[in-house]
């Protein structure tokens, strides 16, 4: 296996995307994310076509979140004790099987809302194991000095998939739901094949006996790190309240009056803005006051959510989603870099699992929250209230976590700025 890059100094001639191990890692991320985004569009439009219920849309997010919540402490230990490449490949294979069952159910005419919920829960369980395993691979690919830049490029893989995936999923769903599900099947299988034989380093911790203390050690570590805890909880509550993506089928069909392709474009809009943000951050990393930049990004995220909630015009809504995605990128890159740079490698799986739970809570549970509030008040009022709540959370967190606001660097080696 070729060694990982050896220049942590940020030399201008050093290019992460050209390194073979990083290329394999990037392709695995983008294929898996592409599959999941296509599947999310297909599931969302399918369940709304069957039920015409915003609450039913929210239940899809809840079905994916519950397995992640239940398995959080288990998946972290698995990622720290076993080959993370094999874990990722097995999970992606299971996701491929779930997508194939969606296709069979569609062609066979036995697909229904309960079946969609069950298969969504299976996908959620597989992703609960996959996410910390894949996230923990990155420090084995690049030197720690290059992790912020590598994190931005790795995030761009997800954002690229979130641009192409929803649009492709919407286009294929327009041809037929079965076509979308078959495409997901093939893409998940390709991701599994890519990571199974990859040259990425397998960083395994010692096989010490599992104890109650070791099971909860990831949570205990985060509680002792106010900067990490502040970043994770800020991102959690911001996306939990401000997440409008779960209601996009409602906006696309009933407010903006567009079809499955329009839904795919709306979902891609967020990713277009996010990709632009990640490319910018990859070339110009956050070197000074990343915590303050994160707070600014969350406030912009909330403001863009408010604009989206007020809009009745497709292109205004699409632009608002682009701004939303670009601002969210700052939060994502800061959060992931803090976890990667401030966590010992032997605990990275467990800490990444807790991080994945926070992400799942904000995304999947946020979808459920959006569905419930939209069922009570309507889609537009629910999004407006969520955007305002996001801004309020950012202002409160500045007081609750001053360490995050004052932090000067992403790494542990530099001290926090003194209080003003």
């Amino acid at each position: 296996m070729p060694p990982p890059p050896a220049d942590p100094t940020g030399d201008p001639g050093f290019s992460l995307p050209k390194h073979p191990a990083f290329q394999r890692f990037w392709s695995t991320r983008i294929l898996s994310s592409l599959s999941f985004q296509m599947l999310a569009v297909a599931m969302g439009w399918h369940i709304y076509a069957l039920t015409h219920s915003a609450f039913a849309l929210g239940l899809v997010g809840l079905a994916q979140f519950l397995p992640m919540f239940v398995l959080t402490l288990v998946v972290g230990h698995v990622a720290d004790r076993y080959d993370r490449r094999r874990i990722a490949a097995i999970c992606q294979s299971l996701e491929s099987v779930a997508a194939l069952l969606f296709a069979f159910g569609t062609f066979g005419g036995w697909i229904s809302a309960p079946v969609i919920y069950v298969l969504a829960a299976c996908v959620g369980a597989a992703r609960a194991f996959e996410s910390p395993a894949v996230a923990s691979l990155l420090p084995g690919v690049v030197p720690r000095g290059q992790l912020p830049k590598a994190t931005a490029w790795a995030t761009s893989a997800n954002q690229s998939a979130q641009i192409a995936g929803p649009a492709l999923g919407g286009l294929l769903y327009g041809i037929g739901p079965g076509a979308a599900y078959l495409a997901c099947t093939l893409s998940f299988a390709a991701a599994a094949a890519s990571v199974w034989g990859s040259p990425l380093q397998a960083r395994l911790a010692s096989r010490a006996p599992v104890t109650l203390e070791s099971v909860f050690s990831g949570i205990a570590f985060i509680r002792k790190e106010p900067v990490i805890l502040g970043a994770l909880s800020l991102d959690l509550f911001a996306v939990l309240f401000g997440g409008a993506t779960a209601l996009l089928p409602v906006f696309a069909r009933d407010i903006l009056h567009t079809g499955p392709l329009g839904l795919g474009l709306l979902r891609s809009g967020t990713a277009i803005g996010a990709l632009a943000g990640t490319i910018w951050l990859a070339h110009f990393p956050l070197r000074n006051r990343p915590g303050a930049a994160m707070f600014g990004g969350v406030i912009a995220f909330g403001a863009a959510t408010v604009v989206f909630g007020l809009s009745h015009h497709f292109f205004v809504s699409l632009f608002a989603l682009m701004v939303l995605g670009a601002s969210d990128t700052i939060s994502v890159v800061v959060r992931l870099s803090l976890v990667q740079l401030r966590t010992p490698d032997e605990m990275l799986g467990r800490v990444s699992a807790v991080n994945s739970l926070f992400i799942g809570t904000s995304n999947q549970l946020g979808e459920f929250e959006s569905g419930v509030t939209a069922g009570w008040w309507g889609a537009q009022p629910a999004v407006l209230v969520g955007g305002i709540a996001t801004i309020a959370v950012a202002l409160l967190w500045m007081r609750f976590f001053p360490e995050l606001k004052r932090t000067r660097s992403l790494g542990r080696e530099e001290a926090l700025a003194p209080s003003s």
Side-chain angles (χ1 to χ4, degrees):
M1 185 190 77
D7 183 2
T9 63
D11 178 64
F14 182 74
S15 179
L16 280 171
K18 293 182 180 179
H19 190 271
F22 186 80
Q23 287 177 340
R24 201 65 180 257
F25 174 85
W26 198 89
S27 65
T28 298
R29 289 286 296 267
I30 198 170
L31 284 168
S32 180
S33 297
L34 181 73
S35 310
F36 183 72
Q37 292 302 320
M38 289 192 293
L39 187 60
V41 168
M43 287 192 301
W45 192 270
H46 207 157
I47 197 73
Y48 194 63
L50 290 173
T51 66
H52 303 285
S53 167
F55 181 73
L57 277 172
L59 288 178
V60 175
L62 182 63
Q64 295 179 76
F65 166 74
L66 287 178
M68 184 179 299
F69 176 75
V70 172
L71 295 170
T72 295
L73 299 179
V74 176
V75 300
H77 255 289
V78 171
D80 281 336
R81 293 170 64 86
Y82 300 99
D83 190 329
R84 293 161 181 170
R85 298 167 297 178
R86 301 296 182 255
I87 296 169
I90 291 170
C91 292
Q92 290 158 357
S93 299
L94 293 174
E95 290 159 2
S96 180
V97 172
L100 186 61
L101 290 175
F102 269 114
F104 283 159
T106 300
F107 291 130
W110 48 266
I111 199 78
S112 63
V115 171
I116 291 176
Y117 295 143
V118 170
L119 291 176
C122 293
V123 172
R127 288 185 68 81
F129 284 92
E130 178 190 356
S131 295
V134 172
S136 303
L137 283 172
L138 190 55
V141 181
V142 298
R144 296 185 74 85
Q146 288 291 329
L147 273 174
K149 184 177 180 180
T151 298
W153 277 112
T155 303
S156 76
N158 287 338
Q159 306 305 345
S160 299
Q162 289 177 28
I163 293 171
L168 182 57
L171 178 63
L172 291 172
Y173 192 95
I175 297 172
Y181 293 132
L182 283 177
C184 295
T185 301
L186 295 175
S187 186
F188 273 128
S194 178
V195 74
W196 187 270
S198 72
L200 306 179
Q201 292 184 5
R203 296 288 191 90
L204 299 181
S206 63
R207 298 292 181 86
V210 177
T211 64
L212 191 63
E213 180 181 0
S214 66
V215 167
F216 287 94
S217 58
I219 297 175
F221 177 83
I222 291 173
R223 288 184 61 187
K224 294 177 182 177
E225 296 286 336
V227 172
I228 296 179
L229 178 60
L232 293 182
S233 56
L234 174 61
D235 185 75
L236 185 157
F237 285 106
V239 179
L240 177 65
F241 292 131
T245 55
L247 300 177
L248 286 182
V250 181
F251 278 83
R253 183 167 179 161
D254 299 338
I255 298 172
L256 302 174
H257 306 294
T258 185
L261 180 57
L263 170 62
L265 291 174
L266 288 173
R267 291 188 69 98
S268 297
T270 305
I272 290 171
L275 179 61
T278 52
I279 292 175
W280 176 268
L281 291 175
H283 287 89
F284 304 99
L286 292 171
R287 301 188 186 279
N288 298 312
R289 301 184 67 82
M294 184 177 185
F295 281 113
V298 171
I299 291 172
F301 179 92
T305 301
V306 170
V307 172
F308 176 79
L310 291 171
S311 171
H312 285 80
H313 301 282
F314 179 82
F315 288 106
V316 173
S317 299
L318 184 62
F319 179 76
L321 290 174
M322 291 180 183
V323 175
L324 186 151
S327 56
D328 185 50
T329 296
I330 299 173
S331 175
V332 170
V333 171
V334 170
R335 171 172 47 80
L336 290 179
S337 297
L338 286 172
V339 170
Q340 298 280 1
L341 287 170
R342 299 191 177 210
T343 304
D345 186 72
E346 65 273 11
M347 289 190 62
L348 191 53
R350 280 162 285 180
V351 174
S352 294
V354 178
N355 178 43
S356 296
L357 175 63
F358 276 67
I359 296 171
T361 301
S362 60
N363 291 333
Q364 277 74 51
L365 192 58
E367 291 180 9
F368 177 66
E369 179 270 337
S370 297
V372 171
T373 54
W376 289 343
W377 306 328
Q380 286 187 293
V383 171
L384 286 173
V385 170
I388 294 170
T390 298
I391 296 172
V393 166
L395 297 176
L396 284 173
W397 256 238
M398 288 183 187
R399 295 183 61 86
F400 294 163
F401 295 95
E403 300 92 346
L404 176 60
K405 181 182 177 182
R406 297 195 306 264
T407 189
R408 288 184 178 273
S409 77
L410 294 167
R412 181 187 299 278
E413 62 277 5
E414 295 185 25
L416 297 178
S419 285
S420 55

